[in-house]
Amino acid sequence: RPAVAVTWRRRLCPLTVSVRNSHFSGKQIVTYSRARQPIPAPFFVILMKTAAQDAVSFLRRLRLREALNQFVNVAFVITSALSIWKGAQVLTQSESPAVVVLSGSMEPSFFRGDILALHNWSSPIEVGEVVVYNINNKDIPIVHRVLATHTDENGNQLLLTKGDNNNVDDRGLYGNGDMWLEREHIIGRAKLFLPYVGYATIVMNDYPWVKFVVLGGMMLAVFFSKEE
């Protein structure tokens, strides 16, 4: 065995001395022995083991930092989008600064999938304007053109709307026997439009599972993306 190992054993292993009487001669017999203990691993083995443990710990911390960093990135994107939307609401004075045309009632002026940019400024609405209105908090607002306007005895502007592709006006949609829309029902007035840009919204509206797949894919892409 190497001298280092032997020296270590002699230094660390206790010496045991036992004395017993011989049954034959009656003399005392002294026996010396050392406890058997395993020889320690070489220094470089211990060093490699420690380095491996440190490397694993570092990788775990690194993955944790990357996960936290990606989480912060996702939170930043969501917060930025919400801030932009809120700013657009304040600027346009509309609760919905942009809507997607979901039906063909306004063809050929607008088609399904077109995105309309809206404003809801307080100036009087003119005949021929395209407005978006919602009555009784329905799930989907309606995009139609103003066919006629009327002012009641209190000076409030009332509106009659109709889809360009419809044969009759919207009085049947107002409900409760109402003949006119009130100004408070107007969500916004179309200012400009982008053709077919919002068609993905129609797909997700017709097939709700698609939105979950898209959102899940976007979240996974952000979390597992590698920074350059």
Side-chain angles (χ1 to χ4, degrees), residues 5-216:
V6 173
T7 302
W8 177 85
R9 288 192 62 185
R10 289 178 178 176
R11 184 168 59 248
L12 297 182
C13 295
L15 179 65
T16 302
V17 180
S18 60
V19 179
R20 62 185 178 85
N21 296 324
S22 175
H23 295 287
F24 299 99
S25 61
K27 296 181 179 181
Q28 291 183 338
I29 300 176
V30 180
T31 304
Y32 300 92
S33 63
R34 292 183 182 273
R36 292 183 175 272
Q37 296 186 6
I39 298 177
F43 175 74
F44 73 91
V45 174
I46 299 176
L47 180 63
M48 293 297 295
K49 183 178 180 180
T50 304
Q53 293 175 345
D54 291 343
V56 171
S57 178
F58 173 76
L59 290 176
R60 289 178 178 174
R61 292 195 303 270
L62 182 62
R63 291 178 180 177
L64 179 60
R65 286 199 299 269
E66 289 180 353
L68 291 176
N69 186 42
Q70 298 297 350
F71 176 79
V72 171
N73 290 337
V74 172
F76 176 77
V77 171
I78 295 175
T79 303
S80 299
L82 292 176
S83 300
I84 293 173
W85 183 259
K86 189 63 178 179
Q89 288 179 327
V90 174
L91 180 64
T92 61
Q93 299 180 9
S94 173
E95 63 183 67
S96 182
V99 296
V100 177
V101 179
L102 300 179
S103 70
S105 63
M106 283 299 293
E107 295 179 1
S109 299
F110 304 111
F111 293 87
R112 297 186 70 202
D114 292 351
I115 289 184
L116 303 182
L118 309 179
H119 72 84
N120 197 17
W121 299 328
S122 59
S123 58
I125 298 176
E126 304 292 338
V127 174
E129 283 192 59
V130 176
V131 298
V132 180
Y133 67 89
N134 193 353
I135 298 178
N136 300 324
N137 296 320
K138 294 182 179 179
D139 294 335
I140 301 177
I142 298 174
V143 181
H144 279 174
R145 193 180 301 277
V146 176
L147 184 64
T149 65
H150 170 67
T151 303
D152 63 11
E153 60 276 7
N154 297 321
N156 298 320
Q157 185 179 28
L158 304 178
L159 309 170
L160 177 64
T161 56
K162 174 183 175 297
D164 291 354
N165 199 28
N166 293 345
N167 296 323
V168 295
D169 57 43
D170 293 347
R171 286 187 170 125
L173 301 176
Y174 299 158
N176 299 323
D178 293 336
M179 303 298 291
W180 301 89
L181 281 178
E182 297 181 10
R183 188 65 173 80
E184 63 184 20
H185 295 143
I186 303 300
I187 295 176
R189 304 153 66 176
K191 186 68 175 178
L192 55 89
F193 78 101
L194 299 173
Y196 301 111
V197 176
Y199 209 87
T201 303
I202 296 179
V203 175
M204 289 187 287
N205 185 70
D206 294 340
Y207 306 97
W209 58 269
V210 175
K211 67 177 69 175
F212 297 105
V213 173
V214 173
L215 291 175

